Amino acid sequence: MDVEVYYSGQRGGTMPYAALPAFRLFCKQNGFQLKWDSTNKRVDLDSGLKGKVCVLFTGISSGGTAYEWEVLGNVQKFLSDSGMEVVLSQNNPTLAKNTDVAIRFSLKEMRALEKTRLIFFQSEDEKRQDLVKCLRTEMQQSGIPCLYKVIKNQKQPSIVHIQLQLPLYTDVSKRKIYAEKIALHLASGVLEYFQNGLHIQPMAFLPPNILKLFYSTMLFTSDEESQQRADEKPLAEEQITIQESDQPSVEASDSKSEENSESNSEREELLILAEEELLEHVVTIHPIEEVPEQVELRTAAEVYFDYTLIHSESVEKPYLLIGTLQVKNTGNVELKNPIVCLRVSPVDSIKMGGQVLPPKLVETMAVQGTSGLKGWRYLEDDWFAQAMERGEYWIAPIQPVTIAPESTESFQNFQISFMKQEAGKGIVVEGVVLCNDQTVHFSANNRIAVSF
């Protein structure tokens, strides 16, 4: 007896009834949803994401931008094919209450911004940490630098907000490339979140036509190979037959041996003369040079803080933290022009100091070295206002810096001062380093945390 098999309501074929237990285990292992109709002897399969709901929001600006709708529209297409329900909305936060995933994507164009970047606005909601982690992991693969900002007391903690920040006059072709990358990796991050949370295989996300194409390709390949072997076999037998028919019989060979003896002698003499002639024109053959083995390029670094905390017994005097951020190149590719981002919290309680110069003062106050000006500078002229807004200090070397493999570069003696905090609160400093035109970035292995 055969069993009818349907996938997402479409008939896929039949299978033996005896294979039903093994088939159920296979579907369970890979995450497919299976329903067995014993009355009609029918199996109904569905995607492992059927019943899951994802809501995608545009920015909070009126109507959203066309760019935001374009990106989220592509994400919707990607995720809809996986079997889940995807809702695209302008600004209706109530939709996020009973959904599995809620993501807001917005665009911000900035006149003073030099490089494109993605900002993750994170809430302290632990329920969304796994989703944020998956999205961050995937979005980092897009090649667009990713930065993170924790927002306390967020009004909509269930919504993960990702913002693309572009320089004001970014070329249209680059905008299109960013849109494609963001849509692809954003959808992949959502799928990875469900894969990890539901412990199912990505195979269970594929639509029926892709599954059919995948398996039919494997089967057709196998059939073609078998047919090819079957076709080659008679041909080989035919060749053997022809070769056997070309061989003279033993009797015929004996009868003609005497006739061929003289011709064989003549052939041998001709061969000897030919060999002697070839020896006069010997060509020296040089050994082929070995091609060096290709080494896989690997970009990697270890980033960590060294710091000293100095404090006075006087309540009126601030604590002083003197730190150094070490960047060791552990890969086999040079790291060029590192840019340091120090994220501090709480923003209003911390003052940044040390030998870091505002851009306008570099020419007059930077240290003059043998190869020119050297030291560190803030990346933006309005660095203080940006730090108060984002809690981030962006710092770059004044002179070009290249970190060779196995070498270390240090951002030395930055100073952070702060007053004693209330009991239960503390000061946190985190670090990120971006290199090679901000195409790669490395988070510090440790962070500075002072608790009270």
Side-chain angles (χ1 to χ4, degrees):
M1 180 181 68
D2 288 337
V3 174
E4 297 283 338
V5 180
Y6 285 77
Y7 190 89
S8 295
Q10 300 179 17
R11 186 180 183 278
T14 61
M15 71 174 186
Y17 177 74
L20 181 60
F23 186 67
R24 290 182 71 252
L25 290 178
F26 171 82
C27 294
K28 181 179 179 181
Q29 179 70 26
N30 288 279
F32 291 98
Q33 297 183 20
L34 183 146
K35 180 180 178 182
W36 165 239
D37 184 353
S38 58
T39 303
N40 299 312
K41 298 296 184 290
R42 165 174 165 168
V43 170
D44 281 279
L45 294 178
D46 278 299
S47 164
L49 298 182
K50 183 180 180 181
K52 300 299 180 183
V53 180
C54 172
V55 179
L56 303 173
F57 297 99
T58 59
I60 58 177
S61 59
S62 178
T65 67
Y67 193 85
E68 294 168 356
W69 286 102
E70 177 186 354
V71 171
L72 293 181
N74 288 332
V75 176
Q76 185 182 40
K77 293 177 183 177
F78 285 137
L79 296 180
S80 296
D81 273 352
S82 65
M84 75 174 73
E85 181 182 353
V86 185
V87 180
L88 186 55
S89 176
Q90 176 186 338
N91 190 20
N92 185 6
T94 57
L95 294 174
K97 293 182 178 180
N98 299 317
T99 60
D100 300 283
V101 170
I103 298 173
R104 183 186 302 282
F105 172 75
S106 63
L107 171 68
K108 184 177 182 180
E109 298 181 276
M110 305 172 66
R111 185 180 300 275
L113 188 66
E114 295 181 2
K115 299 288 184 179
T116 302
R117 61 192 181 191
L118 284 165
I119 307 295
F120 281 77
F121 294 94
Q122 293 183 224
S123 69
E124 296 178 323
D125 183 10
E126 295 182 357
K127 296 180 180 179
R128 294 301 179 189
Q129 292 305 312
D130 291 339
L131 173 59
V132 172
K133 183 178 179 181
C134 291
L135 293 176
R136 284 167 54 174
T137 300
E138 270 297 329
M139 295 304 288
Q140 286 169 356
Q141 304 301 316
S142 68
I144 305 174
C146 298
L147 306 174
Y148 317 106
K149 184 176 181 180
V150 177
I151 300 179
K152 295 183 178 180
N153 301 321
Q154 188 177 2
K155 296 180 180 179
Q156 302 166 359
S158 58
I159 302 176
V160 177
H161 184 188
I162 303 174
Q163 185 176 86
L164 174 66
Q165 296 185 351
L166 286 174
L168 184 59
Y169 300 107
T170 302
D171 186 77
V172 176
S173 60
K174 290 186 177 180
R175 291 171 182 259
K176 183 175 180 60
I177 293 174
Y178 294 146
E180 293 175 354
K181 288 183 176 181
I182 292 171
L184 174 62
H185 291 284
L186 190 57
S188 299
V190 174
L191 294 178
E192 183 180 350
Y193 167 69
F194 283 116
Q195 178 187 353
N196 295 342
L198 301 176
H199 303 290
I200 59 180
Q201 299 299 319
M203 181 189 299
F205 303 162
L206 296 176
N209 58 326
I210 301 299
L211 280 174
K212 184 177 181 180
L213 175 64
F214 176 72
Y215 281 110
S216 63
T217 301
M218 294 178 62
L219 292 174
F220 289 157
T221 301
S222 177
D223 293 342
E224 289 176 0
E225 291 176 351
S226 302
Q227 185 63 37
Q228 184 177 1
R229 287 193 295 267
D231 294 341
E232 289 176 352
K233 185 175 179 180
L235 179 60
E237 292 176 352
E238 183 179 353
Q239 290 176 348
I240 294 173
T241 304
I242 293 174
Q243 290 175 359
E244 289 176 350
S245 64
D246 289 343
Q247 296 293 332
S249 64
V250 177
E251 293 179 357
S253 177
D254 290 340
S255 64
K256 294 183 180 180
S257 59
E258 294 180 359
E259 297 177 3
N260 294 335
S261 60
E262 293 181 1
S263 60
N264 287 338
S265 299
E266 293 176 358
R267 290 174 184 169
E268 291 177 359
E269 291 177 0
L270 291 173
L271 288 173
I272 293 172
L273 290 173
E275 290 176 358
E276 291 176 352
E277 185 176 352
L278 285 173
L279 289 173
E280 294 178 359
H281 304 281
V282 174
V283 179
T284 303
I285 300 176
H286 297 281
I288 299 175
E289 295 183 1
E290 293 185 0
V291 179
E293 183 180 355
Q294 295 291 333
V295 178
E296 181 181 359
L297 298 179
R298 184 171 58 89
T299 305
E302 288 185 3
V303 181
Y304 54 92
F305 285 108
D306 288 331
Y307 61 94
T308 301
L309 181 64
I310 304 173
H311 70 281
S312 172
E313 297 297 334
S314 175
V315 180
E316 298 179 354
K317 292 186 177 181
Y319 286 71
L320 179 61
L321 190 150
I322 302 175
T324 297
L325 186 65
Q326 307 278 7
V327 183
K328 181 179 180 181
N329 187 347
T330 57
N332 56 11
V333 177
E334 290 184 341
L335 300 178
K336 297 182 179 180
N337 299 326
I339 295 177
V340 174
C341 174
L342 297 181
R343 292 196 295 265
V344 300
S345 176
V347 178
D348 54 357
S349 299
I350 293 177
K351 292 183 179 180
M352 185 75 181
Q355 300 177 352
V356 185
L357 297 176
K360 296 179 180 179
L361 300 179
V362 169
E363 295 294 333
T364 57
M365 299 187 63
V367 177
Q368 183 71 39
T370 56
S371 57
L373 300 177
K374 65 178 185 178
W376 294 83
R377 64 176 176 87
Y378 291 109
L379 198 60
E380 300 168 330
D381 289 322
D382 59 341
W383 62 273
F384 183 76
Q386 295 289 346
M388 292 299 99
E389 177 186 350
R390 303 193 303 251
E392 299 172 352
Y393 292 88
W394 287 84
I395 303 164
I398 295 174
Q399 76 287 8
V401 172
T402 298
I403 310 175
E406 300 303 323
S407 299
T408 301
E409 181 71 23
S410 302
F411 170 45
Q412 297 181 343
N413 299 329
F414 64 85
Q415 298 179 13
I416 292 177
S417 60
F418 52 89
M419 301 301 294
K420 184 176 180 179
Q421 304 294 297
E422 298 178 3
K425 295 186 177 181
I427 300 295
V428 176
V429 181
E430 298 176 305
V432 177
V433 176
L434 297 87
C435 303
N436 299 354
D437 293 328
Q438 303 184 34
T439 57
V440 294
H441 73 279
F442 311 98
S443 299
N445 295 337
N446 62 338
R447 65 176 186 169
I448 301 173
V450 182
S451 301
F452 293 91

